[in-house]
Amino acid sequence: MGLIKNCLIVGGGIGGMCAAIELAKRGVEVELVEINPDWNAAGAGITLGGATLRALRQVGVVDEVLAHGGYWSEIDICAADGTVLRTNPLEHAIGAEDLPAASGILRPALADILRRATERAGAKARVGVTFNTLAQDEAGVNVCLTDGSSGRYDLVIGADGVNSKVREVVFPDAPAPRFTGQGSWRAIVPRTRRNSTILMGETAKAGLNPVSDTQGYLFLLDKRAGMEFLELQTWPHLLAGLLEEFGGAVKEFREKLQDGGDLSSCSIVYRPLAGLMVPGPWHKGRVVLLGDTVHATTPHLAMGAGIAVEGAVVLAEELFRCHSLEGALISYAGRRYDRARLVVSSSLRLGEIEQHGGSRDEHYEVMAHAMHELTLPI
């Protein structure tokens, strides 16, 4: 028997859905509320390393993810003009040697797979809904929701993202997300290369990752002074300008954008990057935080989704392994903290090197060390 009979999950992103699946499979009555009425995932492509695929296998969706995505086993590191400087083979995650070393998928496709799995597991989801108030005592949490309903839960899981309302209410002294000095651009493009490809510019980085047999996503990380708002209609022109210093595999996509290319045809997405690492504990009483609410990272190691999925798996394991709720929530954070900090700190360092034209050798060493550590079991 586990320590909880029911729970409320606030946030229907990747981490929240995986937590719902893992707990519902173990017999917990799970309610999930997602503020987005469409419960959709905006975005282009997402990269899933071997460690993430290992965790998704435990969740039970890895076969479907691989069927809808693309995968690779090497990364081509290139100069800005496209000249290949080195080709790095990727390590397989330990215990998942039969899975690809890395995979990519369209973010909406991944969200759809997890939504269906959430429903199959028996979790009850409500969209366009979040919470108004949380009030807890030793035995449970009373929650009033924005649709006028209310409930009492053994546990509340805050999985509502980097700008978490749960964190704001329950942990008012927690650090705020910090802008990292970079923006992230992504666009859906035809797949033109077998490997993942990274092109290193002076203060920007571009590349291509597969998301299926025929599609890939173009990414670019650029140096930015602040989190200024960029008008949607300017995105194709701005992205084309940022790609000027790059040749090779990305040149043809720049040329298509230079005349103000069709935004809808390539699904361009831009967002400023922020990082966050909340010190432990990650719970207060019967409310616990998960995913970006406590460890938001930049995409440099392609593990933001991965550490959220792993966190969901570990949280469910500890709730059914430990003898007290307090012990389970302490153990959950204890198993996750160093691994999450590795991802956040290494990603921030990679971004700093890119922004300031730093050592390419250090960039390679930081990335290689982190990616090796992430192959280890969770």
Side-chain angles (χ1 to χ4, degrees), residues 314 317-318 330-339 378:
V314 169
E317 287 179 350
E318 294 303 318
I330 290 173
S331 184
Y332 150 69
R335 285 180 61 185
R336 298 304 303 152
Y337 185 83
D338 287 346
R339 191 171 174 91
I378 60 176

Side-chain angles (χ1 to χ4, degrees), residues 167-186:
R167 185 184 67 236
E168 177 185 340
V169 169
V170 181
F171 298 85
D173 298 325
R178 180 174 65 86
F179 176 59
T180 68
Q182 285 183 302
S184 170
W185 299 82
R186 299 192 183 200

Side-chain angles (χ1 to χ4, degrees), residues 15-16 158-159 161-162 276 282 289-296 304 307-309 311-312 332:
V162 63
L276 173 70
W282 289 348
L289 302 181
L290 173 72
D292 283 354
T293 62
V294 281
H295 46 64
I307 51 177
V309 178
Y332 150 69

Side-chain angles (χ1 to χ4, degrees), residues 83-101:
T83 303
V84 178
L85 303 175
R86 59 171 26 131
T87 296
N88 298 330
L90 296 173
E91 291 184 78
H92 288 265
I94 294 173
E97 290 82 2
D98 57 319
L99 296 176

Side-chain angles (χ1 to χ4, degrees), residues 129-153:
V129 178
T130 187
F131 76 97
N132 271 328
T133 62
L134 299 170
Q136 62 174 312
D137 53 44
E138 291 185 359
V141 188
N142 294 316
V143 184
C144 293
L145 300 173
T146 54
D147 64 356
S149 65
S150 61
R152 183 169 173 83
Y153 305 92

